[in-house]
Amino acid sequence: MKKIIISNFKMNTTPSEMKNYAMTLATKTKGSKNKIIICPPFTHFAVANQFFEGSKISLGAQNVSDAESGTYTGEISASMLKDSKVEYVIVGHSERRSRFKETDKLINKKIKTALANGLKVILCIGENLATREAKEAGNFVKKQLDDALKGIYENELESLIIAYEPIWAIGTGKTATIKDIQKMVELLRKEISYLYTDKAGEKINIVYGGSIDINNYKKIISLPCLNGALIGGASLNVDNFTVISKENY
Ligand code: PEP
């Protein structure tokens, strides 16, 4: 089964290091059936494009401004990403929600700006440990989804991937259990069916992220209810990420 394998470099590696990474990945994943999306820092796009153009690997960004242009020092606009041959952008990552105080309202605006400029969106949602322990994870994630998708039309869902990333599983070495993932994915599909149509709930792409590595990836990504994975730390090792990207799921 074809899966979507997404990397998130976060603020790691230099553009010089990207060269070897991109060259290795592009060469070694040539026959892969999976959709591979690499989200390095902005500074890496030019070098990544040298190797990804003509390959099946897509380039993604880790952030985008909700504004189109103007007096926003340090920000990157959707049209800048598009012009840099970026196809995807991660929106709503928990690190941006917590460290940069991004709200559901801002995330909704970012999604609209990204889609309006022809970018595809990887929308991250997920609960923290306290919310899970209070047995509120389902309601919390549903609300994040509802708020993020306000004003988004059903035909735009084709350009959206939902990444379920429980915060307590990100970079901790603790993944959610298979049962937890299945339950949450089912809930998310149901919510999309409720917000749109049953067809939309079936078709929406949902990936899981949180401490996936070379030892546990197969069991998680093979789940029939999942369309793929978002991988942080383990994606920095090009040999391991190549194995995960080439796998026949
Ligand atoms: C992430 O950053 O979205 C992520 C899933 O990280 P990690 O794989 O390191 O847990």
Side-chain angles (χ1 to χ4, degrees):
M1 191 175 170
K2 180 180 166 173
K3 299 281 182 170
I4 305 166
I5 311 294
I6 308 165
S7 84
N8 176 11
F9 278 36
K10 312 192 189 199
M11 197 171 72
N12 292 301
T13 75
T14 60
S16 315
E17 288 164 342
M18 186 77 216
K19 187 175 172 184
N20 179 53
Y21 188 105
M23 195 164 58
T24 307
L25 190 70
T27 312
K28 292 195 174 164
T29 57
K30 255 187 194 138
S32 172
K33 282 200 307 200
N34 301 313
K35 169 109 203 121
I36 306 165
I37 305 168
I38 303 295
C39 305
F42 301 129
T43 48
H44 299 29
F45 293 157
V47 60
N49 273 325
Q50 286 173 25
F51 301 97
F52 293 169
E53 270 183 293
S55 84
K56 278 171 35 192
I57 303 170
S58 299
L59 195 55
Q62 297 172 26
N63 188 23
V64 65
S65 173
D66 62 307
E68 292 284 353
S69 65
T71 52
Y72 299 92
T73 301
E75 288 290 273
I76 300 274
S77 74
S79 59
M80 291 171 193
L81 295 180
K82 192 76 187 155
D83 196 59
S84 305
K85 301 193 172 65
V86 169
E87 219 183 307
Y88 292 83
V89 61
I90 298 174
V91 177
H93 193 280
S94 64
E95 287 156 17
R96 295 221 54 95
R97 291 179 190 259
S98 62
R99 289 177 190 264
F100 301 96
K101 308 286 171 262
E102 292 197 3
T103 61
D104 286 320
K105 197 168 169 196
L106 177 66
I107 287 160
N108 175 253
K109 277 181 78 184
K110 286 188 174 199
I111 294 174
K112 286 180 176 159
T113 306
L115 292 174
N117 282 277
L119 293 169
K120 294 176 186 149
V121 170
I122 301 160
L123 166 65
C124 298
I125 52 177
E127 80 286 354
N128 65 21
L129 193 57
T131 305
R132 171 147 291 263
E133 285 176 349
K135 305 215 177 318
E136 280 300 320
N139 287 336
F140 181 84
V141 168
K142 255 202 280 190
K143 177 156 181 352
Q144 278 188 324
L145 188 66
D146 295 358
D147 288 351
L149 297 183
K150 271 197 186 119
I152 306 294
Y153 298 105
E154 181 166 345
N155 65 344
E156 294 177 299
L157 297 181
E158 272 175 25
S159 303
L160 188 95
I161 299 170
I162 299 172
Y164 169 55
E165 298 210 299
I167 298 170
W168 47 272
I170 298 180
T172 59
K174 280 186 241 157
T175 64
T177 64
I178 295 293
K179 221 170 131 194
D180 285 343
I181 296 172
Q182 284 171 325
K183 218 170 136 186
M184 194 56 90
V185 171
E186 192 183 321
L187 179 143
L188 292 172
R189 292 198 187 282
K190 255 197 193 151
E191 190 61 10
I192 293 288
S193 302
Y194 169 74
L195 294 172
Y196 299 94
T197 59
D198 284 348
K199 194 167 154 218
E202 263 169 49
K203 277 179 60 183
I204 188 80
N205 282 312
I206 304 180
V207 303
Y208 165 82
S211 293
I212 290 186
D213 62 26
I214 194 68
N215 300 309
N216 62 25
Y217 75 95
K218 210 167 171 179
K219 189 172 85 192
I220 296 173
I221 303 176
S222 300
L223 283 174
C225 65
L226 266 187
N227 300 99
L230 201 172
I231 304 171
S235 73
L236 294 173
N237 180 315
V238 70
D239 295 326
N240 288 349
F241 193 71
T242 299
V243 170
I244 298 171
S245 299
K246 277 174 74 174
E247 186 70 58
N248 198 353
Y249 293 99

